[in-house]
Amino acid sequence: HAVDYGDDSPLNDKVTEAMRKLNWNVPADWCVDLILDPGTSRPALLWAAIPTQEFWDDGEPYHIIFREMAIPRIDAQAMAMRAKAADPGRHYMRFIGDSKAGAQVPMGFAWSVFEQYSREFKKAGLRCQLTGDMFIRGETTWIVRSMKLRSLMRGRPCGRPRLRIVAHMCPALVKQLEETLKKVSKEDVQDKLAEGQVHDSLDCAEYYAGFDPTFLTPPKSKGTKDAGTLLFESDKKTLEGIFQKNATTAKGPIILGLP
């Protein structure tokens, strides 16, 4: 379930080559979705992409999960700002999320969880092509969405399943796919997850699979930069804003280092 199968592996293909050139980001003309598992303790985001048809095998599209954000206790505002900084010029096709948690209205708030995230995404400049800043409700039944995820992960004669993951960019998802357990009773293995496990990133992958995403052509973009360049430009912009603010409020000139 990899994008890069290692140097000189015959399983490496055009997907591997295209993403390697961008330091494991995806080209601007691929269809990219953001998937949200909201929450107060362990919210998570996944970036998933469907390549253009020239990258498909046997007429079937690949689904590439290439980035994750899983930070305990992060709020909607910080998550939106970090997501925007991760890929500022990206055109997203869909925002998909947990419909049960997203529909809840926390105590002391006037808006649902989805509405709060939508507001913060809009402030950060995050928009999707289909619904603007609104989230599409993901599949609520766990057994349905988990079975759809498994179908994407089945092996094929070419050696590459339809779902592929950039493992070093999604360590939480990889760990949860390998270690998450079902609930076991005396009689059988149940179609439920065992209690006490962390599966936020895995939930995002299931919401994505349960939605049955299809390729839609994104609007034209100036192009996509690699992850290192994007991080550098984001940090540079932040520092420039701090220095400009200090320069306008300080009484005298700002001197860096020895005068």
Side-chain angles (χ1 to χ4, degrees), residues 11 57-58 62 156-161:
L11 291 175
D57 274 333
D58 302 325
Y62 284 118
R156 298 188 300 158
C158 67
R160 296 179 294 267

Side-chain angles (χ1 to χ4, degrees), residues 247-258:
T248 56
T249 57
K251 296 181 180 179
I254 298 176
I255 300 174
L256 299 179
L258 296 174

Side-chain angles (χ1 to χ4, degrees), residues 170-210:
C170 306
L173 175 61
V174 172
K175 179 179 175 66
Q176 290 167 27
L177 282 168
E178 292 176 345
E179 298 181 3
T180 301
L181 303 174
K182 281 187 175 183
K183 189 173 183 179
V184 180
S185 67
K186 291 182 179 179
E187 291 79 22
D188 60 0
V189 178
Q190 301 178 12
D191 286 327
K192 296 179 181 179
L193 291 179
E195 290 85 0
Q197 301 180 98
V198 175
H199 43 78
D200 45 7
S201 295
L202 176 57
D203 287 343
C204 288
E206 290 174 350
Y207 295 135
Y208 176 74

Side-chain angles (χ1 to χ4, degrees), residues 28-244:
D29 58 350
W30 290 14
C31 177
V32 180
D33 298 331
L34 264 182
I35 306 95
L36 170 70
D37 181 26
T40 55
S41 60
R42 296 196 68 91
L45 269 181
L46 279 189
W47 280 253
I50 304 175
T52 51
Q53 197 163 359
E54 65 187 281
F55 293 91
W56 299 6
D57 274 333
D58 302 325
E60 292 187 323
Y62 284 118
H63 299 268
I64 312 296
I65 297 179
F66 64 98
R67 187 183 297 129
E68 71 177 15
M69 185 189 302
I71 305 174
R73 297 292 179 183
I74 190 173
D75 60 22
Q77 182 183 33
M79 178 174 278
M81 292 177 64
R82 285 172 179 255
K84 178 65 175 178
D87 205 343
R90 175 69 59 188
H91 289 296
Y92 294 101
M93 187 54 63
R94 293 164 288 242
F95 293 160
I96 304 169
D98 176 3
S99 58
K100 282 187 177 180
Q104 295 178 7
V105 180
M107 292 181 63
F109 289 86
W111 308 294
S112 69
V113 172
F114 268 168
E115 288 171 334
Q116 292 179 49
Y117 275 93
S118 293
R119 286 169 175 264
E120 296 302 334
F121 274 42
K122 185 176 182 180
K123 289 179 185 177
L126 284 169
R127 307 279 289 177
C128 70
Q129 189 72 12
L130 287 190
T131 56
D133 51 41
M134 296 175 60
F135 282 84
I136 299 171
R137 296 171 179 269
E139 174 61 55
T140 58
T141 306
W142 177 76
I143 189 62
V144 173
R145 66 177 191 253
S146 65
M147 289 299 291
K148 287 186 175 181
L149 179 62
R150 284 181 225 171
S151 70
L152 289 181
M153 298 182 71
R154 289 196 188 108
R156 298 188 300 158
C158 67
R160 296 179 294 267
R162 291 175 62 199
L163 181 75
R164 297 168 65 179
I165 302 168
V166 182
H168 69 278
M169 296 290 287
C170 306
L173 175 61
V174 172
K175 179 179 175 66
Q176 290 167 27
L177 282 168
E178 292 176 345
E179 298 181 3
T180 301
L181 303 174
K182 281 187 175 183
K183 189 173 183 179
V184 180
S185 67
K186 291 182 179 179
E187 291 79 22
D188 60 0
V189 178
Q190 301 178 12
D191 286 327
K192 296 179 181 179
L193 291 179
E195 290 85 0
Q197 301 180 98
V198 175
H199 43 78
D200 45 7
S201 295
L202 176 57
D203 287 343
C204 288
E206 290 174 350
Y207 295 135
Y208 176 74
F211 183 74
D212 290 325
T214 57
F215 179 86
L216 297 173
T217 304
K220 289 186 178 180
S221 173
K222 295 180 180 179
T224 302
K225 300 176 182 177
D226 66 86
T229 302
L230 290 170
L231 180 61
F232 169 77
E233 291 181 349
S234 175
D235 289 346
K236 180 182 177 184
K237 186 175 181 181
T238 301
L239 289 172
E240 286 175 346
I242 294 172
F243 285 129
Q244 287 174 3

